[in-house]
Amino acid sequence: MATSDVRPDLLNALSALRECVAAARFPLPLPGADGARRSRAELLAQLDDYLVPRLRRPDAPLLAVVGGSTGAGKSTLVNSLVGRCVSESGVLRPTTRMPVLVCHPDDQSWFAGQRVLPHLTRVWMPRQDAAHGRVEAYESYGAYEAQEVAEPYGDHGDEGDGRGTRESYGSGGGSRGAYGGSPAREAYGANRGASAAYGVRDPYRTRDGRGRDGLGRGAATFGEGGGGPDGTLLRIEVDENVPSGLALLDAPDIDSLAGHARELAAELVCAADVWVLVTTASRYADAVPWHLLRTAKEYDVSLVTVLDRVPHQVAGEISLQYATLLRKAGLGDVPRFTVPELPESAGGGSGLLPATAVRELRDWLGHRAQDPAARAEASVRTANGVLASLRSRVTSLAGACAAQHAASTRMAHRVERAYEEAAEQAHADLVGGTAFAGDALAHYRNRALTGASVDLLDALTGSVAAVLYCAVAAADERFTAELRREPGAAAVPFGEAGAGVQERVGVLVRRWQRCLEELADDALRAAERSGDAEPEDVAALLAVALLGGAEGEGAADELAALLGAKGGLRLRSRGGRLLGTYFERVLDGERDRRLAAIDALEAQSGQQARLIAAMSVLQREK
């Protein structure tokens, strides 16, 4: 399918699939869950940052993402392709913390908005003086990169004076100085309407007007989203040395020690029309670059490799060995470029490689950008490759969703079964007279002497609470023991769900006691015996009749003598239903709290079906 032949139905199907992928959750630490989460993030990034934008605008410039391991020389390569230092390079690792995109001035509008990489806030920097290295803006930018990665812009900074945007964009007068006098750059700087359209805001100022440290004077940020040294910024450079129709993006290290940098690097690679993988003579066989190469083969993307820092003495031998490895991996047709080891590669001198060292790669990229046939081949191959890869990737995600749901269902079943068995045992204990022991039995037997019906009722209430609490504890202990064999159980906060159980049981049992007293009062009024006994006395007799087992028969006879046979029987029936209601409230409520802890993880049953259905629709529209 050519990108120019895209139908609206295909884009709608992709959008629907994207929403299903975004809704997928893998909260349980099951085997393969980490890979599913990474695959989900990668798939979302590729849909948002590459496939949908490319299908919507096939005429957009090609994006070549330069990726590789720490110290591979990516920034030096990008700088050399451009002909000036646009990306920081050096001996410290990692060097590239914020990704840098450089394009031709005529193409800047394609990347100023949120068409691609919408989650990254744009940062525009004025052109540096090639003869004197980094200008003031870059000195400030260096200070910005030296900040702790974990700390975003200072919330209470006051050192900024707000002049950065005005000096660069102002009324247009400063644009020539900031961008070196290029007519295209001057027109861009003079166009205040364009600044408003892109949402320029002063990088020195937070939204409440306070100063912020970090960006150098003359910089401007575009777009919405977070901004800070944590990988949420994309620095934009423009240079006429970059062929029109092509943008180069220097990505963070794919093996960076900073987790967010690795994730961002993977997302940026997924946004590329052309993947430029940079490795070195000493690391070309490492696992990290080969993971990218295998991924590129899986997606059938436009790929080019650069073997950097190759010593002259072994250049032929290493190039041959690298070519052999690529051929064995089924990547023998991938274009390969070799860059010799030079002082500039290690950060010496100007930091730029001689033009001859990168001429072949520059010509190859320029040809892809400016030749219509080559451009179509690069963009269409990558787009079609990503489209073709969706089926297996989405199917894999659906399988992971099914595994998550199956695990959560197993855990829920064990919780339900444990509470069912605990409820059966607690019911048998209550009707068998277990609660009618100790203080409760003593108060009942001495009631004729002491008349302490209130003490008897309180003792029975305490015994009922103890039986129910023990039932909850037994259920928790049972399913906890069973879930030790369930790999996903560690992620469920059952401990939090069980906190405060004794207090909750006590509250419900005391409420049952008050309802029992109300039933007794109603029964006395109905029998017109209100003056013959107190509601507390009748409630105590009713509790003994319900919970006393064989001992409770005497209490039932007393109720019949006081209220009449029908009245006593009716009261016992209502009391039994009331006891059952509160019994269920206690145990069902605690069970539901444990089940809610599982449900809160959102391992939903419909995720697998929705993914498969969305993929089926996309297959029909391809």
Side-chain angles (χ1 to χ4, degrees):
M1 179 201 69
T3 55
S4 58
D5 299 331
V6 176
R7 302 182 308 277
D9 288 345
L10 175 60
L11 289 173
N12 292 337
L14 276 173
S15 297
L17 177 63
R18 190 260 177 218
E19 294 306 314
C20 291
V21 172
R25 295 291 182 271
F26 311 96
L28 301 177
L30 303 178
D34 286 341
R37 284 189 284 268
R38 289 193 298 270
S39 178
R40 171 186 174 274
E42 182 181 284
L43 187 51
L44 285 175
Q46 203 155 30
L47 290 171
D48 291 344
D49 299 341
Y50 172 69
L51 188 56
V52 172
R54 172 54 67 194
L55 293 179
R56 284 178 175 163
R57 295 304 305 266
D59 56 331
L62 292 179
L63 178 60
V65 174
V66 181
S69 306
T70 298
K74 302 182 299 299
S75 298
T76 298
L77 181 65
V78 170
N79 291 338
S80 302
L81 288 170
V82 176
R84 65 181 179 91
C85 291
V86 293
S87 185
E88 185 75 10
S89 62
V91 296
L92 296 180
R93 302 289 178 250
T95 299
T96 306
R97 291 184 179 178
M98 177 165 53
V100 179
L101 185 149
V102 56
C103 63
H104 190 276
D106 294 343
D107 295 332
Q108 61 191 1
S109 61
W110 288 105
F111 302 102
Q114 306 302 107
R115 186 189 66 87
V116 294
L117 303 172
H119 59 291
L120 297 181
T121 299
R122 273 53 172 169
V123 179
W124 289 78
M125 301 293 288
R127 174 169 178 155
Q128 60 183 336
D129 186 345
H132 297 89
R134 297 162 64 211
V135 295
E136 180 181 0
Y138 284 88
E139 292 171 0
S140 300
Y141 170 69
Y144 154 77
E145 283 209 323
Q147 295 181 50
E148 290 293 334
V149 171
E151 295 180 8
Y153 294 117
D155 289 337
H156 304 289
D158 57 5
E159 296 179 11
D161 58 7
R163 291 195 296 266
T165 302
R166 290 192 292 273
E167 288 179 3
S168 294
Y169 299 97
S171 60
S175 60
R176 180 178 297 273
Y179 286 97
S182 162
R185 295 189 185 97
E186 180 178 353
Y188 173 71
N191 189 351
R192 298 181 64 182
S195 299
Y198 291 137
V200 177
R201 57 184 172 86
D202 187 346
Y204 283 101
R205 297 289 169 187
T206 58
R207 295 190 184 278
D208 59 4
R210 292 179 298 183
R212 24 184 350 177
D213 297 336
L215 288 173
R217 180 172 301 171
T221 58
F222 287 69
E224 298 298 327
D230 59 352
T232 60
L233 298 178
L234 173 65
R235 185 155 63 88
I236 305 292
E237 292 273 357
V238 291
D239 197 287
E240 292 175 343
N241 287 330
V242 179
S244 178
L246 175 71
L248 298 173
L249 197 156
D250 184 13
D253 304 327
I254 58 177
D255 58 350
S256 173
L257 293 177
H260 71 270
R262 292 195 304 273
E263 295 169 0
L264 179 59
E267 291 180 10
L268 294 175
V269 168
C270 289
D273 293 292
V274 178
W275 293 16
V276 181
L277 175 64
V278 183
T279 187
T280 65
S282 60
R283 301 188 62 184
Y284 66 88
D286 288 0
V288 172
W290 281 98
H291 171 71
L292 271 183
L293 286 169
R294 284 190 291 270
T295 302
K297 180 184 177 183
E298 177 186 353
Y299 300 165
D300 194 28
V301 302
S302 298
L303 173 68
V304 57
T305 68
V306 177
L307 189 59
D308 195 14
R309 297 177 179 170
V310 181
H312 291 281
Q313 304 89 328
V314 292
E317 180 182 352
I318 290 179
S319 296
L320 180 61
Q321 177 65 18
Y322 188 44
T324 301
L325 293 176
L326 289 171
R327 187 169 56 255
K328 288 181 178 179
L331 296 167
D333 60 342
V334 172
R336 292 179 291 107
F337 298 93
T338 301
V339 177
E341 186 175 41
L342 298 167
E344 293 84 352
S345 303
S350 66
L352 298 179
L353 297 169
T356 54
V358 296
R359 177 176 296 144
E360 290 185 358
L361 176 60
R362 182 190 290 114
D363 292 344
W364 188 91
L365 291 171
H367 178 66
R368 291 300 174 281
Q370 297 180 334
D371 180 81
R375 171 190 171 82
E377 178 187 359
S379 61
V380 171
R381 175 178 179 175
T382 302
N384 288 346
V386 173
L387 273 173
S389 74
L390 291 180
R391 182 172 183 176
S392 61
R393 296 160 75 184
V394 171
T395 300
S396 177
L397 284 184
C401 287
Q404 293 278 321
H405 176 62
S408 65
T409 299
R410 288 194 302 271
M411 288 189 288
H413 176 68
R414 288 191 168 96
V415 170
E416 290 172 346
R417 186 174 61 186
Y419 270 85
E420 285 175 4
E421 295 177 357
E424 291 176 0
Q425 184 61 50
H427 183 268
D429 291 342
L430 288 177
V431 300
T434 300
F436 190 54
D439 289 345
L441 181 58
H443 283 305
Y444 178 67
R445 290 176 176 174
N446 296 330
R447 184 173 56 90
L449 298 175
T450 62
S453 297
V454 174
D455 293 338
L456 169 59
L457 189 56
D458 288 344
L460 278 169
T461 299
S463 296
V464 170
V467 170
L468 294 177
Y469 174 72
C470 289
V472 172
D476 287 349
E477 184 178 354
R478 179 185 178 91
F479 79 70
T480 300
E482 293 180 352
L483 288 180
R484 291 194 183 101
R485 300 188 294 272
E486 184 64 56
V492 185
F494 288 119
E496 296 177 11
V501 58
Q502 193 164 8
E503 180 181 352
R504 290 193 297 273
V505 170
V507 168
L508 286 173
V509 172
R510 288 192 295 274
R511 191 175 300 166
W512 167 75
Q513 177 185 344
R514 290 195 298 272
C515 292
L516 208 64
E517 292 170 353
E518 292 173 2
L519 285 181
D521 190 31
D522 292 343
L524 284 172
R525 288 199 301 270
E528 298 181 352
R529 300 295 297 272
S530 298
D532 297 337
E534 294 295 329
E536 292 82 0
D537 299 330
V538 177
L541 288 174
L542 176 57
V544 173
L546 294 173
L547 303 170
E551 291 276 355
E553 293 299 327
D557 293 341
E558 290 187 53
L559 286 175
L562 181 62
L563 303 173
K566 290 184 178 179
L569 185 61
R570 185 165 50 249
L571 180 59
R572 289 176 61 188
S573 177
R574 295 180 66 188
R577 290 196 298 270
L578 182 67
L579 177 62
T581 297
Y582 277 90
F583 180 89
E584 291 176 357
R585 285 185 184 179
V586 170
L587 292 178
D588 290 358
E590 293 301 319
R591 177 204 61 199
D592 291 346
R593 288 178 67 88
R594 277 67 172 175
L595 293 177
I598 300 174
D599 294 340
L601 297 176
E602 298 184 346
Q604 301 170 2
S605 60
Q607 290 181 349
Q608 178 191 21
R610 286 191 289 270
L611 282 170
I612 296 299
M615 190 65 228
S616 298
V617 173
L618 179 62
Q619 290 291 108
R620 291 196 300 270
E621 298 299 337
K622 282 173 59 176

